[in-house]
Amino acid sequence: MSEKLLNTGFKREVAKLPGAQRVMSCYLCGTCTAGCPVAEVDAGFNPRGIIQKVLLGFEDELLHSADLWKCVQCHNCVAHCPQDARLADVIRALRGLAVSRGIVTEEFAARVQNIDAQYQLERLDSINRAMEQYGR
Ligand code: SF4
Ligand code: SF4
């Protein structure tokens, strides 16, 4: 990526967004990546890398990245972050920014939300069926 595309003030802009106020407290320890269920199945998905890109100013790359939408908003990263940087909420704020800038449509964002809801229902259904096998 060309340095010309870096926006070193991006982190301050992001820190003004609802939920993302603590973004600059991150010290890049990587605990979020270690406990992320998406990173477990997708080696290319790196929560620490997402917040690092915010801090370094890779605004354009980040807002166009599919990674923003791969996150399932489970908040594991929030629960375990030693700095309370609230990465899941930062990702949600970045999604809102991508929509408001017309990089993706509101329909796309709603579709991702529906996929997540559907996934949770299917998971619940599978667990209930598995429990039935044990007579529970
Ligand atoms: S968001 Fe939190 S857990 Fe993740 S790298 Fe930053 S400080 Fe560590
Ligand atoms: S909220 Fe997103 S980034 Fe955080 S642990 Fe869950 S899937 Fe990973």
Side-chain angles (χ1 to χ4, degrees):
M1 153 129 321
S2 158
E3 286 206 11
K4 275 188 239 160
L5 296 178
L6 286 181
N7 172 8
T8 52
F10 186 50
K11 59 186 175 211
R12 283 182 286 281
E13 289 172 36
V14 171
K16 289 180 190 155
L17 300 172
Q21 293 92 339
R22 297 268 313 153
V23 65
M24 285 190 276
S25 68
C26 170
Y27 56 21
L28 301 173
C29 66
T31 303
C32 47
T33 300
C36 173
V38 179
E40 210 168 292
V41 295
D42 180 350
F45 182 76
N46 181 357
R48 175 187 178 276
I50 291 174
I51 201 159
Q52 185 175 32
K53 281 179 183 166
V54 174
L55 299 177
L56 293 175
F58 286 89
E59 176 181 12
D60 200 49
E61 180 182 320
L62 200 45
L63 292 181
H64 286 83
S65 170
D67 286 350
L68 286 190
W69 306 96
K70 287 182 182 176
C71 163
V72 295
Q73 288 287 294
C74 67
H75 280 69
N76 271 2
C77 51
V78 173
H80 299 292
C81 176
Q83 290 293 95
D84 193 28
R86 303 198 65 83
L87 177 55
D89 297 331
V90 171
I91 290 173
R92 201 181 62 240
L94 292 170
R95 288 178 176 184
L97 207 51
V99 171
S100 67
R101 295 203 184 162
I103 295 166
V104 296
T105 62
E106 278 183 29
E107 287 74 25
F108 173 83
R111 192 170 158 200
V112 171
Q113 219 168 335
N114 285 340
I115 291 169
D116 287 345
Q118 187 63 35
Y119 163 77
Q120 291 300 344
L121 284 174
E122 280 172 19
R123 182 178 183 278
L124 198 58
D125 203 37
S126 298
I127 289 171
N128 284 337
R129 270 189 273 118
M131 291 302 280
E132 273 170 22
Q133 287 175 357
Y134 290 99
R136 303 277 164 85

